[in-house]
Amino acid sequence: MSDVLKHECGIAVIRLLKPLEYYKEKYGSAFYGVNKMYLMMEKQHNRGQDGAGFASIKLDTKPGERYISRVRSVAQQPIQDIFGQINERINNELTAHPEYANNVALQKRNIPYIGELLLGHVRYGTFGKNSVESVHPFLRQNNWMHRNLIMAGNFNMTNVKELFANLIQLGQHPKEYTDTITIMEKIGHFLDDAVSKIYKDLKKEGYNKREASPLIAERLKVGKILKRAAKNWDGGYAMAGLIGHGDSFVLRDPAGIRPAYYYKDDEIVVVASERPVIQTVFNVSFDSVKELDPGQAIIIKKSGEVRFKQILEPLERKSCSFERIYFSRGSDAEIYQERKMLGKLLMPKVLDAIDNDTKNTVFSYIPNTAETSFFGMIETAEAYINKKKTRTILNGQRSLSAEKVTEILSERARIEKIAIKDVKLRTFITEDSSRDDLVAHVYDVTYGVIKPEDNLVIIDDSIVRGTTLKMSILKMLDRLNPKKIIVVSSAPQIRYPDCYGIDMANLESLVAFRAALDLLKDANKYHIVEEVYNKCISQTDLDDKHVQNFVKEIYDPFTDEEISDKISELLSHESIDAEVKIIFQSVENLHKACPDHLGDWYFTGNYPTVGGNRVVNRAFINFYEGNNERAY
């Protein structure tokens, strides 16, 4: 994606089901879990490079022995940084105590980070401070082992204000107004309550506090705690938690917005945000990695028993389609085919734009994740050219010479690597004019392959703000002197903000929204803006379930093509000589390509939870009033 877009997070949970000695004997190291966690986090670094965190729990430790370890980082390469710290600590301990080398029991007792239960997290700082205090996993500490709670997640809640108020009503005083703290404290409240009730029951049965401790672990019903805690959550999430005594869970939102996959055998249980991560790290088949159902939790008891509990009633499944287009790893077998299909389905529009002149058209892509949809587009282009060859030969009958047939058969799609991403130059300059000049050089181009009579077709994953396209890519492509530049987006027009984990909170930053506003002005219909504002204001005191998305009315007067043409106009800098046309995927074709992932609210405004409509209306109110605030 040419636009910089902060998004998503990645989670990884590992539960070793055998004693650490087993992994030492079979795999040569008691650090098997730590090593696998490093790989799982590295394989998900596409989901977050602003921060990373790791936590582990040792099972069945003696009182006074440390059993929870945690390390977090916001270094430039946070994953390498935290595992560098872990390795340094482990090596220092082994150097200082040679007797630990082949004694797993001593390693477990004395070396931190080694444990049977591990949690990893990678993140982008979507808003607020990107300080180490903002990095998951978060830890809720208590001297009662069962009340320690470690949490990390890939999520955003739309109703943090309501959830925060609920905590106040419960008598709590949360230390921060963030959705992570709010969610952890909500679960923690019901965890405390459950532990207290179990202890009271055990006390009545004649057990003292020390005797009660292991029985609390057996009787604790994690599913019931999650049902009570998650009752009023509204958002997209895959929430992972470890409880101090050794129970763990991952809970997925009821619309299936955020992804979660798991694998289990007799040695290990693994949960991650990405399926190919599990496949690669543990060398297992596609079919053996399962998707966690919407609203469901996978609960791993201290005993190693794995349970699946339906925590929340599933909503209509709206798995995020943007995951498929851009965020997730393209090595997933399904995602790879879906991305190719997105490219294939765009080809008819591309052929229209070049007047079917494939001979004088060069095809390319914006690196790197648009490459797969480019392959799909080229396959369709080749199929079109082959049909054209067959038709020409058949029409020529016997009058064609061998040389002419060879000439016809030699035509193929012209494929070149045109755009090259050099380096990130955005972050260290704050003065606008200087930054604009640097942004214009983020991409370089390949010279000498475009002729003046050529069309240049270049595909990108999506066009969100259009800033890099206007300030950098189109200017660079125009230096090649093509007749026409056609930018193809494998995603539809992004018209609405996200509130489930991707940093698209402001309407005015979306180029499709700016295009619609310009069209309203051109058509003398700008009064619709004030009408929509008044409708949004009228809903501010309604319950979320009664709120409608009135922002759709901004786009209603215009066809998709009219908005696309206006976007082309907005992004065509006056210094560009070539004709510029921008083509977007249709929502209908998006659904054809990703039939099981229909979360399309970015494009249609059809939000998967009731909180989404409130967020988009608030985003419009902020735009109208000139408030540079987040809508949730």
mmCIF file of all heavy atoms in Angstrom, residues 219-260:
data_model
loop_
_atom_site.group_PDB
_atom_site.id
_atom_site.type_symbol
_atom_site.label_atom_id
_atom_site.label_comp_id
_atom_site.label_asym_id
_atom_site.label_seq_id
_atom_site.Cartn_x
_atom_site.Cartn_y
_atom_site.Cartn_z
ATOM 1 N N ARG A 219 -11.594 -25.474 39.903
ATOM 2 C CA ARG A 219 -13.010 -25.100 39.850
ATOM 3 C C ARG A 219 -13.281 -23.805 39.076
ATOM 4 O O ARG A 219 -14.428 -23.505 38.746
ATOM 5 C CB ARG A 219 -13.569 -24.955 41.265
ATOM 6 C CG ARG A 219 -13.546 -26.248 42.063
ATOM 7 C CD ARG A 219 -14.302 -26.084 43.363
ATOM 8 N NE ARG A 219 -14.163 -27.262 44.218
ATOM 9 C CZ ARG A 219 -14.815 -27.432 45.378
ATOM 10 N NH1 ARG A 219 -15.642 -26.489 45.813
ATOM 11 N NH2 ARG A 219 -14.626 -28.520 46.095
ATOM 12 N N LEU A 220 -12.241 -23.024 38.812
ATOM 13 C CA LEU A 220 -12.437 -21.730 38.151
ATOM 14 C C LEU A 220 -13.025 -21.930 36.752
ATOM 15 O O LEU A 220 -12.473 -22.663 35.936
ATOM 16 C CB LEU A 220 -11.102 -20.985 38.059
ATOM 17 C CG LEU A 220 -11.185 -19.494 37.700
ATOM 18 C CD1 LEU A 220 -11.858 -18.699 38.805
ATOM 19 C CD2 LEU A 220 -9.782 -18.949 37.428
ATOM 20 N N LYS A 221 -14.126 -21.274 36.468
ATOM 21 C CA LYS A 221 -14.799 -21.382 35.171
ATOM 22 C C LYS A 221 -14.503 -20.130 34.350
ATOM 23 O O LYS A 221 -15.192 -19.115 34.469
ATOM 24 C CB LYS A 221 -16.301 -21.573 35.369
ATOM 25 C CG LYS A 221 -16.650 -22.897 36.064
ATOM 26 C CD LYS A 221 -18.151 -23.065 36.233
ATOM 27 C CE LYS A 221 -18.472 -24.405 36.890
ATOM 28 N NZ LYS A 221 -19.932 -24.572 37.114
ATOM 29 N N VAL A 222 -13.473 -20.240 33.532
ATOM 30 C CA VAL A 222 -13.016 -19.082 32.743
ATOM 31 C C VAL A 222 -14.106 -18.624 31.781
ATOM 32 O O VAL A 222 -14.313 -17.425 31.581
ATOM 33 C CB VAL A 222 -11.720 -19.433 31.983
ATOM 34 C CG1 VAL A 222 -11.285 -18.264 31.098
ATOM 35 C CG2 VAL A 222 -10.611 -19.794 32.963
ATOM 36 N N GLY A 223 -14.833 -19.578 31.202
ATOM 37 C CA GLY A 223 -15.896 -19.219 30.266
ATOM 38 C C GLY A 223 -16.960 -18.351 30.912
ATOM 39 O O GLY A 223 -17.444 -17.386 30.312
ATOM 40 N N LYS A 224 -17.305 -18.666 32.130
ATOM 41 C CA LYS A 224 -18.325 -17.882 32.847
ATOM 42 C C LYS A 224 -17.812 -16.471 33.128
ATOM 43 O O LYS A 224 -18.563 -15.488 33.012
ATOM 44 C CB LYS A 224 -18.688 -18.586 34.154
ATOM 45 C CG LYS A 224 -19.847 -17.952 34.892
ATOM 46 C CD LYS A 224 -20.236 -18.774 36.120
ATOM 47 C CE LYS A 224 -21.420 -18.150 36.856
ATOM 48 N NZ LYS A 224 -21.800 -18.950 38.047
ATOM 49 N N ILE A 225 -16.537 -16.348 33.490
ATOM 50 C CA ILE A 225 -15.933 -15.034 33.733
ATOM 51 C C ILE A 225 -15.984 -14.190 32.456
ATOM 52 O O ILE A 225 -16.359 -13.014 32.480
ATOM 53 C CB ILE A 225 -14.472 -15.194 34.207
ATOM 54 C CG1 ILE A 225 -14.438 -15.834 35.596
ATOM 55 C CG2 ILE A 225 -13.740 -13.848 34.215
ATOM 56 C CD1 ILE A 225 -13.052 -16.295 36.020
ATOM 57 N N LEU A 226 -15.629 -14.807 31.329
ATOM 58 C CA LEU A 226 -15.629 -14.077 30.067
ATOM 59 C C LEU A 226 -17.034 -13.665 29.649
ATOM 60 O O LEU A 226 -17.237 -12.564 29.118
ATOM 61 C CB LEU A 226 -14.978 -14.921 28.968
ATOM 62 C CG LEU A 226 -13.477 -15.196 29.127
ATOM 63 C CD1 LEU A 226 -12.985 -16.135 28.029
ATOM 64 C CD2 LEU A 226 -12.671 -13.899 29.108
ATOM 65 N N LYS A 227 -18.012 -14.524 29.895
ATOM 66 C CA LYS A 227 -19.400 -14.167 29.554
ATOM 67 C C LYS A 227 -19.853 -12.940 30.329
ATOM 68 O O LYS A 227 -20.504 -12.039 29.776
ATOM 69 C CB LYS A 227 -20.329 -15.342 29.867
ATOM 70 C CG LYS A 227 -20.410 -16.382 28.773
ATOM 71 C CD LYS A 227 -21.509 -17.388 29.046
ATOM 72 C CE LYS A 227 -21.598 -18.388 27.900
ATOM 73 N NZ LYS A 227 -22.690 -19.359 28.085
ATOM 74 N N ARG A 228 -19.524 -12.896 31.593
ATOM 75 C CA ARG A 228 -19.931 -11.744 32.413
ATOM 76 C C ARG A 228 -19.189 -10.479 31.989
ATOM 77 O O ARG A 228 -19.766 -9.396 31.914
ATOM 78 C CB ARG A 228 -19.680 -12.043 33.886
ATOM 79 C CG ARG A 228 -20.490 -13.215 34.426
ATOM 80 C CD ARG A 228 -20.161 -13.491 35.881
ATOM 81 N NE ARG A 228 -20.692 -12.461 36.764
ATOM 82 C CZ ARG A 228 -20.384 -12.346 38.065
ATOM 83 N NH1 ARG A 228 -19.528 -13.197 38.602
ATOM 84 N NH2 ARG A 228 -20.912 -11.398 38.788
ATOM 85 N N ALA A 229 -17.897 -10.620 31.700
ATOM 86 C CA ALA A 229 -17.075 -9.457 31.378
ATOM 87 C C ALA A 229 -17.403 -8.881 30.005
ATOM 88 O O ALA A 229 -17.424 -7.668 29.808
ATOM 89 C CB ALA A 229 -15.600 -9.825 31.455
ATOM 90 N N ALA A 230 -17.669 -9.770 29.039
ATOM 91 C CA ALA A 230 -17.810 -9.342 27.633
ATOM 92 C C ALA A 230 -19.233 -8.983 27.251
ATOM 93 O O ALA A 230 -19.498 -8.662 26.091
ATOM 94 C CB ALA A 230 -17.296 -10.450 26.710
ATOM 95 N N LYS A 231 -20.120 -9.025 28.202
ATOM 96 C CA LYS A 231 -21.552 -8.848 27.930
ATOM 97 C C LYS A 231 -21.857 -7.606 27.106
ATOM 98 O O LYS A 231 -22.676 -7.643 26.182
ATOM 99 C CB LYS A 231 -22.307 -8.806 29.260
ATOM 100 C CG LYS A 231 -23.811 -8.771 29.127
ATOM 101 C CD LYS A 231 -24.464 -8.772 30.511
ATOM 102 C CE LYS A 231 -25.981 -8.704 30.401
ATOM 103 N NZ LYS A 231 -26.633 -8.686 31.735
ATOM 104 N N ASN A 232 -21.203 -6.480 27.401
ATOM 105 C CA ASN A 232 -21.537 -5.216 26.724
ATOM 106 C C ASN A 232 -20.427 -4.719 25.798
ATOM 107 O O ASN A 232 -20.445 -3.557 25.391
ATOM 108 C CB ASN A 232 -21.844 -4.134 27.776
ATOM 109 C CG ASN A 232 -23.058 -4.486 28.610
ATOM 110 O OD1 ASN A 232 -24.067 -4.928 28.079
ATOM 111 N ND2 ASN A 232 -22.953 -4.307 29.919
ATOM 112 N N TRP A 233 -19.480 -5.587 25.452
ATOM 113 C CA TRP A 233 -18.414 -5.141 24.561
ATOM 114 C C TRP A 233 -18.946 -4.896 23.154
ATOM 115 O O TRP A 233 -19.766 -5.660 22.646
ATOM 116 C CB TRP A 233 -17.313 -6.194 24.474
ATOM 117 C CG TRP A 233 -16.544 -6.398 25.747
ATOM 118 C CD1 TRP A 233 -16.668 -5.718 26.920
ATOM 119 C CD2 TRP A 233 -15.505 -7.372 25.965
ATOM 120 N NE1 TRP A 233 -15.791 -6.196 27.853
ATOM 121 C CE2 TRP A 233 -15.067 -7.212 27.300
ATOM 122 C CE3 TRP A 233 -14.923 -8.345 25.182
ATOM 123 C CZ2 TRP A 233 -14.060 -8.007 27.837
ATOM 124 C CZ3 TRP A 233 -13.921 -9.130 25.719
ATOM 125 C CH2 TRP A 233 -13.494 -8.966 27.031
ATOM 126 N N ASP A 234 -18.472 -3.833 22.514
ATOM 127 C CA ASP A 234 -18.799 -3.576 21.115
ATOM 128 C C ASP A 234 -17.501 -3.211 20.399
ATOM 129 O O ASP A 234 -16.885 -2.188 20.680
ATOM 130 C CB ASP A 234 -19.805 -2.424 20.984
ATOM 131 C CG ASP A 234 -20.316 -2.272 19.558
ATOM 132 O OD1 ASP A 234 -19.566 -1.733 18.718
ATOM 133 O OD2 ASP A 234 -21.441 -2.699 19.287
ATOM 134 N N GLY A 235 -17.100 -4.067 19.487
ATOM 135 C CA GLY A 235 -15.863 -3.810 18.767
ATOM 136 C C GLY A 235 -15.418 -5.047 18.025
ATOM 137 O O GLY A 235 -16.143 -6.035 17.916
ATOM 138 N N GLY A 236 -14.224 -4.977 17.485
ATOM 139 C CA GLY A 236 -13.617 -6.133 16.840
ATOM 140 C C GLY A 236 -12.421 -6.560 17.664
ATOM 141 O O GLY A 236 -11.592 -5.717 18.019
ATOM 142 N N TYR A 237 -12.311 -7.849 17.967
ATOM 143 C CA TYR A 237 -11.230 -8.242 18.866
ATOM 144 C C TYR A 237 -10.887 -9.731 18.774
ATOM 145 O O TYR A 237 -11.711 -10.579 18.458
ATOM 146 C CB TYR A 237 -11.571 -7.905 20.319
ATOM 147 C CG TYR A 237 -12.934 -8.353 20.799
ATOM 148 C CD1 TYR A 237 -13.153 -9.632 21.316
ATOM 149 C CD2 TYR A 237 -14.015 -7.478 20.748
ATOM 150 C CE1 TYR A 237 -14.409 -10.021 21.756
ATOM 151 C CE2 TYR A 237 -15.280 -7.859 21.184
ATOM 152 C CZ TYR A 237 -15.466 -9.129 21.692
ATOM 153 O OH TYR A 237 -16.713 -9.518 22.129
ATOM 154 N N ALA A 238 -9.609 -9.987 19.033
ATOM 155 C CA ALA A 238 -9.118 -11.318 19.376
ATOM 156 C C ALA A 238 -8.303 -11.088 20.641
ATOM 157 O O ALA A 238 -7.213 -10.513 20.598
ATOM 158 C CB ALA A 238 -8.261 -11.902 18.270
ATOM 159 N N MET A 239 -8.861 -11.493 21.776
ATOM 160 C CA MET A 239 -8.350 -11.134 23.088
ATOM 161 C C MET A 239 -7.696 -12.337 23.752
ATOM 162 O O MET A 239 -8.329 -13.386 23.899
ATOM 163 C CB MET A 239 -9.523 -10.668 23.950
ATOM 164 C CG MET A 239 -9.155 -9.715 25.031
ATOM 165 S SD MET A 239 -8.915 -8.064 24.371
ATOM 166 C CE MET A 239 -10.585 -7.617 23.942
ATOM 167 N N ALA A 240 -6.429 -12.204 24.123
ATOM 168 C CA ALA A 240 -5.702 -13.306 24.752
ATOM 169 C C ALA A 240 -5.409 -12.977 26.210
ATOM 170 O O ALA A 240 -5.055 -11.838 26.537
ATOM 171 C CB ALA A 240 -4.399 -13.570 24.012
ATOM 172 N N GLY A 241 -5.550 -13.982 27.071
ATOM 173 C CA GLY A 241 -5.288 -13.771 28.485
ATOM 174 C C GLY A 241 -4.641 -14.984 29.140
ATOM 175 O O GLY A 241 -4.939 -16.123 28.779
ATOM 176 N N LEU A 242 -3.740 -14.719 30.074
ATOM 177 C CA LEU A 242 -3.133 -15.753 30.907
ATOM 178 C C LEU A 242 -3.475 -15.442 32.358
ATOM 179 O O LEU A 242 -3.378 -14.291 32.795
ATOM 180 C CB LEU A 242 -1.609 -15.774 30.757
ATOM 181 C CG LEU A 242 -0.970 -15.676 29.365
ATOM 182 C CD1 LEU A 242 0.553 -15.753 29.487
ATOM 183 C CD2 LEU A 242 -1.482 -16.762 28.443
ATOM 184 N N ILE A 243 -3.882 -16.452 33.108
ATOM 185 C CA ILE A 243 -4.163 -16.294 34.531
ATOM 186 C C ILE A 243 -3.015 -16.939 35.303
ATOM 187 O O ILE A 243 -2.493 -17.987 34.904
ATOM 188 C CB ILE A 243 -5.522 -16.936 34.901
ATOM 189 C CG1 ILE A 243 -6.632 -16.302 34.047
ATOM 190 C CG2 ILE A 243 -5.827 -16.733 36.375
ATOM 191 C CD1 ILE A 243 -7.993 -16.946 34.207
ATOM 192 N N GLY A 244 -2.609 -16.299 36.399
ATOM 193 C CA GLY A 244 -1.370 -16.643 37.086
ATOM 194 C C GLY A 244 -1.155 -18.115 37.388
ATOM 195 O O GLY A 244 -0.029 -18.612 37.307
ATOM 196 N N HIS A 245 -2.218 -18.840 37.723
ATOM 197 C CA HIS A 245 -2.038 -20.247 38.097
ATOM 198 C C HIS A 245 -1.862 -21.154 36.885
ATOM 199 O O HIS A 245 -1.465 -22.308 37.038
ATOM 200 C CB HIS A 245 -3.233 -20.732 38.925
ATOM 201 C CG HIS A 245 -4.521 -20.743 38.168
ATOM 202 N ND1 HIS A 245 -5.352 -19.649 38.104
ATOM 203 C CD2 HIS A 245 -5.116 -21.703 37.421
ATOM 204 C CE1 HIS A 245 -6.412 -19.945 37.360
ATOM 205 N NE2 HIS A 245 -6.286 -21.182 36.926
ATOM 206 N N GLY A 246 -2.190 -20.634 35.640
ATOM 207 C CA GLY A 246 -1.918 -21.438 34.462
ATOM 208 C C GLY A 246 -3.051 -21.610 33.477
ATOM 209 O O GLY A 246 -2.845 -22.179 32.396
ATOM 210 N N ASP A 247 -4.264 -21.151 33.790
ATOM 211 C CA ASP A 247 -5.330 -21.153 32.787
ATOM 212 C C ASP A 247 -5.048 -20.065 31.754
ATOM 213 O O ASP A 247 -4.420 -19.043 32.067
ATOM 214 C CB ASP A 247 -6.692 -20.864 33.431
ATOM 215 C CG ASP A 247 -7.248 -22.045 34.206
ATOM 216 O OD1 ASP A 247 -6.601 -23.110 34.215
ATOM 217 O OD2 ASP A 247 -8.331 -21.903 34.810
ATOM 218 N N SER A 248 -5.523 -20.264 30.525
ATOM 219 C CA SER A 248 -5.354 -19.247 29.490
ATOM 220 C C SER A 248 -6.534 -19.290 28.535
ATOM 221 O O SER A 248 -7.291 -20.274 28.512
ATOM 222 C CB SER A 248 -4.042 -19.451 28.720
ATOM 223 O OG SER A 248 -4.006 -20.724 28.120
ATOM 224 N N PHE A 249 -6.702 -18.230 27.735
ATOM 225 C CA PHE A 249 -7.836 -18.167 26.813
ATOM 226 C C PHE A 249 -7.537 -17.206 25.675
ATOM 227 O O PHE A 249 -6.679 -16.317 25.783
ATOM 228 C CB PHE A 249 -9.106 -17.698 27.541
ATOM 229 C CG PHE A 249 -9.008 -16.291 28.095
ATOM 230 C CD1 PHE A 249 -9.345 -15.187 27.305
ATOM 231 C CD2 PHE A 249 -8.582 -16.059 29.396
ATOM 232 C CE1 PHE A 249 -9.249 -13.892 27.802
ATOM 233 C CE2 PHE A 249 -8.489 -14.770 29.898
ATOM 234 C CZ PHE A 249 -8.818 -13.682 29.101
ATOM 235 N N VAL A 250 -8.249 -17.398 24.585
ATOM 236 C CA VAL A 250 -8.337 -16.398 23.510
ATOM 237 C C VAL A 250 -9.805 -16.303 23.137
ATOM 238 O O VAL A 250 -10.457 -17.323 22.869
ATOM 239 C CB VAL A 250 -7.500 -16.778 22.278
ATOM 240 C CG1 VAL A 250 -7.732 -15.754 21.153
ATOM 241 C CG2 VAL A 250 -6.014 -16.852 22.620
ATOM 242 N N LEU A 251 -10.345 -15.096 23.123
ATOM 243 C CA LEU A 251 -11.751 -14.838 22.806
ATOM 244 C C LEU A 251 -11.833 -13.996 21.539
ATOM 245 O O LEU A 251 -11.141 -12.981 21.410
ATOM 246 C CB LEU A 251 -12.425 -14.098 23.973
ATOM 247 C CG LEU A 251 -13.830 -13.541 23.722
ATOM 248 C CD1 LEU A 251 -14.817 -14.660 23.413
ATOM 249 C CD2 LEU A 251 -14.301 -12.729 24.943
ATOM 250 N N ARG A 252 -12.700 -14.421 20.619
ATOM 251 C CA ARG A 252 -12.890 -13.691 19.355
ATOM 252 C C ARG A 252 -14.239 -12.987 19.352
ATOM 253 O O ARG A 252 -15.219 -13.492 19.897
ATOM 254 C CB ARG A 252 -12.816 -14.670 18.178
ATOM 255 C CG ARG A 252 -12.734 -13.991 16.818
ATOM 256 C CD ARG A 252 -12.658 -14.992 15.694
ATOM 257 N NE ARG A 252 -12.479 -14.343 14.401
ATOM 258 C CZ ARG A 252 -12.676 -14.924 13.237
ATOM 259 N NH1 ARG A 252 -13.043 -16.204 13.192
ATOM 260 N NH2 ARG A 252 -12.514 -14.251 12.112
ATOM 261 N N ASP A 253 -14.303 -11.823 18.706
ATOM 262 C CA ASP A 253 -15.539 -11.032 18.691
ATOM 263 C C ASP A 253 -16.642 -11.766 17.926
ATOM 264 O O ASP A 253 -16.370 -12.587 17.048
ATOM 265 C CB ASP A 253 -15.300 -9.657 18.076
ATOM 266 C CG ASP A 253 -15.000 -9.718 16.584
ATOM 267 O OD1 ASP A 253 -15.961 -9.749 15.794
ATOM 268 O OD2 ASP A 253 -13.811 -9.738 16.213
ATOM 269 N N PRO A 254 -17.914 -11.489 18.258
ATOM 270 C CA PRO A 254 -19.029 -12.272 17.712
ATOM 271 C C PRO A 254 -19.308 -12.059 16.224
ATOM 272 O O PRO A 254 -20.029 -12.852 15.623
ATOM 273 C CB PRO A 254 -20.226 -11.823 18.559
ATOM 274 C CG PRO A 254 -19.846 -10.515 19.133
ATOM 275 C CD PRO A 254 -18.359 -10.557 19.314
ATOM 276 N N ALA A 255 -18.757 -11.002 15.623
ATOM 277 C CA ALA A 255 -18.912 -10.815 14.176
ATOM 278 C C ALA A 255 -17.720 -11.385 13.408
ATOM 279 O O ALA A 255 -17.709 -11.350 12.182
ATOM 280 C CB ALA A 255 -19.079 -9.329 13.844
ATOM 281 N N GLY A 256 -16.724 -11.892 14.130
ATOM 282 C CA GLY A 256 -15.544 -12.443 13.469
ATOM 283 C C GLY A 256 -14.720 -11.392 12.752
ATOM 284 O O GLY A 256 -14.048 -11.699 11.766
ATOM 285 N N ILE A 257 -14.742 -10.155 13.246
ATOM 286 C CA ILE A 257 -14.057 -9.053 12.576
ATOM 287 C C ILE A 257 -12.544 -9.288 12.556
ATOM 288 O O ILE A 257 -11.904 -9.213 11.512
ATOM 289 C CB ILE A 257 -14.385 -7.716 13.266
ATOM 290 C CG1 ILE A 257 -15.879 -7.406 13.141
ATOM 291 C CG2 ILE A 257 -13.545 -6.582 12.677
ATOM 292 C CD1 ILE A 257 -16.338 -6.254 14.001
ATOM 293 N N ARG A 258 -11.979 -9.561 13.713
ATOM 294 C CA ARG A 258 -10.539 -9.802 13.817
ATOM 295 C C ARG A 258 -10.263 -11.298 13.794
ATOM 296 O O ARG A 258 -11.036 -12.089 14.334
ATOM 297 C CB ARG A 258 -9.993 -9.187 15.106
ATOM 298 C CG ARG A 258 -10.180 -7.678 15.207
ATOM 299 C CD ARG A 258 -9.033 -6.911 14.544
ATOM 300 N NE ARG A 258 -9.055 -6.917 13.097
ATOM 301 C CZ ARG A 258 -9.604 -5.991 12.329
ATOM 302 N NH1 ARG A 258 -10.220 -4.977 12.872
ATOM 303 N NH2 ARG A 258 -9.545 -6.075 11.028
ATOM 304 N N PRO A 259 -9.157 -11.715 13.180
ATOM 305 C CA PRO A 259 -8.897 -13.140 12.956
ATOM 306 C C PRO A 259 -8.229 -13.823 14.147
ATOM 307 O O PRO A 259 -7.516 -13.188 14.931
ATOM 308 C CB PRO A 259 -7.948 -13.128 11.757
ATOM 309 C CG PRO A 259 -7.187 -11.845 11.918
ATOM 310 C CD PRO A 259 -8.150 -10.854 12.515
ATOM 311 N N ALA A 260 -8.436 -15.126 14.252
ATOM 312 C CA ALA A 260 -7.739 -15.954 15.249
ATOM 313 C C ALA A 260 -7.749 -17.398 14.762
ATOM 314 O O ALA A 260 -8.798 -17.914 14.360
ATOM 315 C CB ALA A 260 -8.406 -15.850 16.616
#
